[in-house]
C-alpha cells in the first residue's frame, strides 16, 4: 500500500506555524468527525502492499505553556497489508521515522533546536471510517511515544495517539490531533520553562508518500 501526503506550505515564522497548525487542526477535526459519524467500517480492502518513503513536515504545540516545535523536514518509511476483509487496526505500519534527517533540524522557542526521536516502532495507522463519496479514510496513529531533547537542556516525552486522514484520490495524508497526546515526563529544566506532565499537545503534519496506494471499505 502506498500513500502520498498533501504538502502544506511552511509558515514564515514559528508563531505563524502554531496559528496555522491550530486552524488546520480545527478544520480537519470537523471533517473527520463527519465521516466517522456516517460509517464505522468493519473491514478493509488494500489491493497492493509494499514499502513507501514519505517526506513532509510536522508541528506541535503544548496548549497550556505555549511551547512549540516545528520540523520542516521529516522522512518516514511506511508499509501496508494487502488483502480483503482486513481489520482496520494496524492496516498500515510506520516502520521508521526521522523528524530531522541529515542536514535538517527541528526548531523550538527562542531559537532552540530540538532532537526528536520515536521511542516505539512501528507506529500503527488504524483505519476507522471510510467515506466513498470523497474517497477519504479516517483513522488514527496509535502507540505514539516520542522523546524531545532541546538545546537548552529540556527533555520531555509525549505519548498517546493522533487522529489522521488519508485521501485515496490525491494520496494526501494529514496528521492532526487536539485531544489525544499528552506530556508524559519532563525534567527540571522543562519545569523551569513552565512545561508540566499531563499537559495536552496539538499536532499537525502533512506528508507526500511515493508510490501512492488505495484503502477502501469494504
Amino acid at each position: 500500500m502506498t500513500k502520498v501526503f498533501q504538502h502544506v506550505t511552511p509558515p514564515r515564522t514559528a508563531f505563524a506555524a502554531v496559528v496555522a497548525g491550530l486552524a488546520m487542526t480545527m478544520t480537519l477535526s470537523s471533517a473527520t468527525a463527519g465521516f466517522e459519524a456516517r460509517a464505522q467500517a468493519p473491514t478493509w480492502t488494500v489491493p497492493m502492499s509494499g514499502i513507501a518513503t514519505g517526506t513532509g513536515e510536522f508541528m506541535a504545540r503544548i496548549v497550556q505553556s505555549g511551547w512549540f516545535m516545528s520540523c520542516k523536514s521529516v522522512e518516514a518509511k511506511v508499509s501496508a497489508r494487502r488483502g480483503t476483509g482486513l481489520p482496520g487496526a494496524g492496516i498500515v505500519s510506520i516502520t521508521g521515522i526521522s523528524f530531522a534527517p541529515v542536514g535538517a533540524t527541528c526548531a523550538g522557542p527562542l531559537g532552540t533546536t530540538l532532537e526528536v526521536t520515536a521511542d516505539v516502532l512501528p507506529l500503527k495507522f488504524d483505519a476507522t471510517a471510510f467515506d466513498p463519496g470523497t474517497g477519504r479514510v479516517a483513522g488514527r496513529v496509535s502507540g505514539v511515544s516520542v522523546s524531545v531533547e532541546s538545546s537548552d537542556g529540556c527533555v520531555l516525552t509525549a505519548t498517546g495517539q493522533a487522529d489522521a486522514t488519508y485521501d485515496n484520490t490525491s494520496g494526501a495524508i494529514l496528521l492532526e490531533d487536539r485531544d489525544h497526546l499528552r506530556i508524559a515526563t519532563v525534567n527540571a529544566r522543562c519545569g523551569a520553562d513552565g512545561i508540566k506532565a499531563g499537559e495536552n499537545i496539538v499536532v499537525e503534519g502533512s506528508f507526500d508518500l511515493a508510490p501512492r496506494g488505495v484503502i477502501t471499505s469494504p
Side-chain angles (χ1 to χ4, degrees):
M1 173 273 147
T2 50
K3 297 176 275 207
V4 180
F5 289 44
Q6 203 168 343
H7 180 69
V8 177
T9 301
R12 294 183 180 177
T13 68
F15 178 75
V18 171
V19 174
L22 283 170
M24 177 171 285
T25 294
M26 294 172 66
T27 301
L28 292 174
S29 294
S30 299
T32 300
F35 35 95
E36 282 182 341
R38 287 195 293 273
Q40 194 68 25
T43 61
W44 296 85
T45 299
V46 181
M48 297 177 62
S49 63
I51 297 175
T53 299
T55 58
E57 58 188 26
F58 179 86
M59 287 175 272
R61 176 178 177 269
I62 301 175
V63 174
Q64 290 84 352
S65 67
W67 180 95
F68 71 90
M69 61 176 280
S70 176
C71 302
K72 302 296 186 184
S73 179
V74 181
E75 293 181 355
K77 296 291 185 181
V78 174
S79 65
R81 298 162 62 186
R82 178 184 179 183
T84 59
L86 298 172
I91 198 166
V92 175
S93 295
I94 302 169
T95 58
I97 185 167
S98 173
F99 289 91
V102 175
T105 58
C106 294
L110 301 176
T112 56
T113 58
L114 308 173
E115 182 177 337
V116 187
T117 306
D119 298 324
V120 177
L121 290 171
L123 300 173
K124 300 293 187 180
F125 175 75
D126 305 323
T128 58
F130 178 59
D131 184 345
T134 63
R136 294 179 181 176
V137 179
R140 68 180 69 89
V141 177
S142 60
V144 176
S145 180
V146 175
S147 295
V148 181
E149 182 172 355
S150 173
S151 57
D152 69 358
C154 173
V155 180
L156 61 85
T157 60
T159 59
Q161 64 184 41
D163 291 339
T165 60
Y166 174 64
D167 190 326
N168 281 301
T169 302
S170 65
I173 294 183
L174 297 176
L175 177 71
E176 52 81 24
D177 196 275
R178 299 185 66 197
D179 303 315
H180 304 118
L181 285 168
R182 293 287 185 275
I183 298 298
T185 63
V186 296
N187 68 359
R189 183 63 184 84
C190 296
D193 291 337
I195 303 171
K196 299 177 181 178
E199 294 181 331
N200 69 296
I201 307 167
V202 171
V203 298
E204 179 257 319
S206 64
F207 300 87
D208 292 327
L209 272 171
R212 178 178 64 86
V214 175
I215 303 174
T216 60
S217 178

